[in-house]
Amino acid sequence: MGTEPRVRVSALLRWNGRVLLCRQEKPGKEYWLLPGGGVEGGETLTEALRRELWEELGIWDGFQLEGPIAVAESIAPGWTPEDRHVVHIIFGADLSHRSLEDVESNDPVIRGARLFSLDELEEIVVHPPMKRFVQRWRPGDPALYLGSLWAR
């Protein structure tokens, strides 16, 4: 893995009061995360995010990104050079004005996207663990540093 932190951009996508999350499966685990992914060399943060939203959801146009709205980190407890250190840069967008019928995942790791009401978020596992932020964020809120968030 190496010692360099990895930069991941993601989007908190609101649609008529709900939040769009992507399901990810790893052996023995299922969790939900904000759509997004790693930034490649030479890409701006927003270019990387729009590429990832296209790859993961088939969404690429017709919405304004706000932010970054938050920054967080995932650093393994007792970190060693073999462990991950991810810097999460989170943007926001409201997609309420458009249809989401065309949303489809082209990413084999993503097992589907779903809209959750803010109450339904209580019932699921979100990585990194920032459920409270996802529930409370409103367009125009000041940007936040959420600190180091780690989930096993």
Side-chain angles (χ1 to χ4, degrees):
M1 179 62 53
T3 59
E4 295 299 314
R6 178 174 162 249
V7 176
R8 183 181 192 272
V9 286
S10 60
L12 199 170
L13 300 176
R14 281 280 172 82
W15 188 80
N16 293 326
R18 295 187 283 170
V19 178
L20 185 66
L21 297 176
C22 292
R23 188 174 75 176
Q24 191 154 33
E25 291 177 5
K26 298 219 167 154
K29 288 185 188 176
E30 173 190 287
Y31 53 89
W32 296 85
L33 66 167
L34 298 177
V39 178
E40 296 175 359
E43 270 185 326
T44 68
L45 297 175
T46 53
E47 285 169 350
L49 183 54
R50 290 188 184 276
R51 174 183 52 76
E52 288 288 346
L53 293 177
W54 170 248
E55 289 173 6
E56 290 185 358
L57 300 170
I59 298 174
W60 66 276
D61 65 345
F63 62 95
Q64 186 75 32
L65 287 170
E66 178 181 340
I69 61 171
V71 175
E73 298 180 83
S74 295
I75 304 172
W79 185 89
T80 69
E82 288 74 44
D83 291 324
R84 294 171 64 108
H85 176 179
V86 182
V87 177
H88 303 273
I89 301 176
I90 304 157
F91 289 80
D94 190 335
L95 303 181
S96 299
H97 64 284
R98 57 167 287 160
S99 166
L100 291 186
E101 289 172 10
D102 56 344
V103 170
E104 59 177 336
S105 174
N106 303 314
D107 186 329
V109 181
I110 300 294
R111 295 281 176 253
R114 204 189 123 191
L115 285 164
F116 288 91
S117 72
L118 300 185
D119 289 341
E120 287 175 312
L121 292 175
E122 294 296 338
E123 311 300 320
I124 61 170
V125 176
V126 177
H127 282 190
M130 56 175 146
K131 229 183 261 192
R132 180 169 284 169
F133 171 74
V134 170
Q135 289 170 313
R136 291 182 175 178
W137 179 77
R138 298 291 179 271
D141 282 355
L144 293 174
Y145 173 59
L146 301 176
S148 183
L149 305 173
W150 182 258
R152 292 233 168 261

